[in-house]
């Protein structure tokens, strides 16, 4: 088995992305609960810190990758026409790339380096 | 006791249909297989596969009140009436409850269900320690009845490409065997998006297995083996 083993690699990365999302969501949630009440200045200050922005960017990367593999799995299960599946997959990929770019733009515009 | 049995004759019927039967003489402890034999005595045109009658041969897998199982191990007293008996889902029907199992056996053959040894064969049998033998428990007992594979939605959607729980359980039976020397080849063969990774741990296979085996756990162990091999 090598890293080029496609089925294993996709499955493993999807699992790892889930672990990261879980860790991030839980720890971020606890952090937010500890800093109640949260107001706009506190929230926008939080996202000026590079560590928070990088962790959030990683979270969205994990989320989009996880969704990408998940949607592909559903399409492989249910859509057996190659042309339709390929077209839909391209559309999903473009949509996820657009979402990723948008969230990156927002997060990077806030960070103070 | 009321029964609704799936009937299909390819020469006269376009699609399978349910036919009502009624049995009055139900002895205590009667299994569904015995009931079906009585129904066959009523109506000789009805047919189904069966042989040993005690859950060893795996011939009489069928869909009983919506769940796959072996007729010979299912007491009729535990079933709600009317007892609806169909052929196992996802397989081409040949007649009544008899299905074409070719696809199932194709996948079983494809995982090479025999020991592969690259070393020269010893003059005596291949030895195995009791501890190594214990690793095959829960794997070797499979009777290939097909209850699990035909209950698996992943198999329904991709029956030509996904190996199915029965074949994957057997794949792990040989991967787990200390005497087998083809670990890497076996794992390589199961990679790719279809053959094993179509499994989404739905676990219908575990629910229906009449022998109480756990194909989902076996598939998980194959993935763990792949990871170990990769690292």
């Amino acid at each position: 088995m090598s890293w080029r083993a496609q089925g294993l690699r996709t499955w493993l990365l999807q699992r790892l992305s889930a672990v990261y999302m879980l860790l991030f969501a839980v720890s971020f949630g606890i952090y937010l609960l500890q800093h109640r009440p949260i107001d706009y200045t506190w929230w926008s200050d939080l996202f000026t810190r590079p560590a928070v922005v990088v962790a959030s960017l990683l979270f969205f990367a994990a989320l989009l990758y996880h969704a990408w593999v998940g949607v592909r799995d559903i399409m492989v299960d249910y859509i057996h026409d190659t042309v339709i599946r390929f077209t839909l997959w391209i559309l999903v990929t473009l949509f996820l790339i657009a979402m990723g770019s948008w969230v990156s733009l927002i997060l990077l515009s806030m960070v103070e380096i | 006791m009321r029964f609704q049995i799936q009937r299909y004759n390819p020469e006269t019927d376009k699609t399978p249909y349910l036919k009502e039967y009624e049995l009055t003489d139900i002895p205590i402890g009667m299994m569904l297989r015995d009931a079906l034999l009585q129904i066959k005595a009523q109506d000789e045109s009805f047919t189904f596969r069966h042989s040993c009658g005690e859950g060893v041969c795996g011939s009489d897998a069928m869909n009983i009140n919506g769940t796959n199982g072996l007729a010979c191990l299912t007491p009729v007293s535990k079933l709600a009436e009317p007892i609806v008996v169909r052929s196992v889902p996802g397989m081409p029907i040949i007649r009544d409850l008899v299905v074409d199992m070719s696809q199932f056996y194709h996948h079983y053959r494809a995982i090479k269900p025999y020991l592969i040894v690259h070393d020269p064969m010893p003059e005596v049998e291949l030895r195995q320690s009791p501890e190594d033998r214990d690793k095959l428990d829960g794997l070797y007992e499979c009777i290939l009845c097909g209850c699990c594979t035909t209950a698996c939605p992943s198999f329904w959607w991709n029956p030509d490409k996904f190996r199915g729980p029965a074949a994957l359980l057997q794949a792990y039976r040989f991967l787990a065997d200390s005497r087998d020397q083809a670990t890497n080849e076996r794992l390589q063969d199961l990679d790719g998006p279809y053959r094993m990774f179509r499994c989404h741990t739905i676990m219908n296979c575990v629910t229906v297995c009449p022998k109480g085996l756990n194909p989902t756990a076996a598939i998980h162990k194959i993935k763990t083996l792949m990871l170990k091999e990769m690292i």
Side-chain angles (χ1 to χ4, degrees):
Chain A
M1 281 276 114
S2 76
W3 185 243
R4 271 171 295 172
Q6 198 205 352
L8 177 67
R9 187 182 55 198
T10 318
W11 172 79
L12 180 65
L13 283 175
Q14 198 190 27
R15 284 296 174 99
L16 291 177
S17 67
V19 171
Y20 181 77
M21 283 193 286
L22 186 70
L23 288 178
F24 179 90
V26 170
S27 50
F28 195 66
I30 292 173
Y31 185 75
L32 289 185
L33 285 177
Q34 282 171 343
H35 290 80
R36 282 181 299 175
I38 295 160
D39 58 16
Y40 176 77
T41 29
W42 184 85
W43 183 260
S44 53
D45 278 353
L46 183 69
F47 282 93
T48 57
R49 295 190 223 160
V52 176
V53 170
V54 169
S56 308
L57 279 174
L58 272 176
F59 170 79
F60 284 108
L63 179 72
L64 294 172
Y65 180 79
H66 199 91
W68 189 56
V69 175
V71 171
R72 197 189 63 172
D73 267 344
I74 295 168
M75 293 198 300
V76 170
D77 278 346
Y78 297 108
I79 306 171
H80 292 154
D81 183 289
T82 322
V83 178
I84 299 174
R85 187 165 76 199
F86 188 71
T87 316
L88 277 175
W89 195 43
I90 298 279
L91 288 175
V92 167
T93 309
L94 288 176
F95 174 73
L96 292 176
I97 289 174
M99 297 304 268
S101 317
W102 192 13
V103 79
S104 309
L105 279 177
I106 295 170
L107 285 168
L108 291 173
S109 69
M110 294 173 77
V111 69
E112 284 173 6
I113 304 163
Chain B
M1 197 168 244
R2 282 173 61 228
F3 291 82
Q4 292 182 348
I5 312 282
Q6 173 186 288
R7 301 298 311 269
Y8 175 67
N9 178 349
E11 283 165 15
T12 52
D13 304 323
K14 273 187 186 154
T15 51
Y17 62 98
L18 290 176
K19 190 170 176 187
E20 288 262 356
Y21 293 94
E22 183 116 22
L23 293 182
T24 44
D25 181 24
I26 308 285
I28 294 167
M30 188 196 217
M31 296 293 174
L32 180 61
R33 171 178 175 266
D34 307 319
L36 291 178
L37 285 170
Q38 280 200 23
I39 289 170
K40 192 174 166 65
Q42 270 182 27
D43 179 351
E44 285 181 334
S45 68
F46 167 58
T47 192
F48 70 106
R49 282 195 186 115
H50 67 108
S51 178
C52 75
E54 50 190 37
V56 177
C57 71
S59 306
D60 59 355
M62 51 191 72
N63 190 273
I64 308 154
N65 277 354
T67 310
N68 286 357
L70 296 181
C72 59
L73 297 182
T74 309
V76 284
S77 57
K78 294 212 170 131
L79 297 170
E81 285 187 62
I83 299 170
V84 181
V85 183
R86 297 173 195 266
S87 58
V88 286
M91 296 276 195
I93 303 166
I94 296 173
R95 190 188 170 108
D96 296 343
L97 299 179
V98 180
V99 292
D100 181 358
M101 301 276 283
S102 310
Q103 190 105 66
F104 179 83
Y105 294 130
H106 161 78
H107 286 303
Y108 176 60
R109 272 194 293 275
I111 60 104
K112 299 190 175 153
Y114 40 81
L115 288 177
I116 299 173
V117 180
H118 298 312
D119 294 343
M121 277 292 184
E123 287 194 12
V124 290
E125 65 271 26
L126 291 159
R127 291 274 170 85
Q128 189 172 43
S129 70
E131 294 75 36
D132 282 336
R133 168 60 190 77
D134 286 347
K135 290 177 188 161
L136 307 183
D137 286 345
L139 303 169
Y140 80 92
E141 297 94 327
C142 174
I143 55 173
L144 296 174
C145 63
C147 279
C148 60
T149 296
T150 55
C152 174
S154 291
F155 185 77
W156 299 338
W157 311 144
N158 286 292
D160 51 336
K161 302 189 189 86
F162 178 53
R163 292 272 178 254
L168 290 169
L169 183 89
Q170 287 313 296
Y172 185 65
R173 181 249 170 274
F174 288 94
L175 283 163
D177 197 310
S178 60
R179 299 163 297 182
D180 190 81
Q181 295 178 341
T183 306
N184 217 349
E185 294 97 300
R186 290 182 190 280
L187 291 178
Q188 298 262 340
D189 187 64
L190 289 176
D191 187 58
Y194 284 105
R195 289 176 183 176
M196 180 179 69
F197 284 97
R198 276 307 84 212
C199 168
H200 306 309
T201 31
I202 298 162
M203 295 179 80
N204 277 7
C205 52
V206 185
T207 313
V208 298
C209 178
K211 307 300 277 186
L213 309 180
N214 191 333
T216 308
I219 292 168
H220 178 72
K221 284 176 181 162
I222 296 176
K223 288 175 183 168
T224 315
L225 261 183
M226 283 183 165
L227 267 181
K228 277 188 189 153
E229 285 283 316
M230 191 178 79
I231 298 162

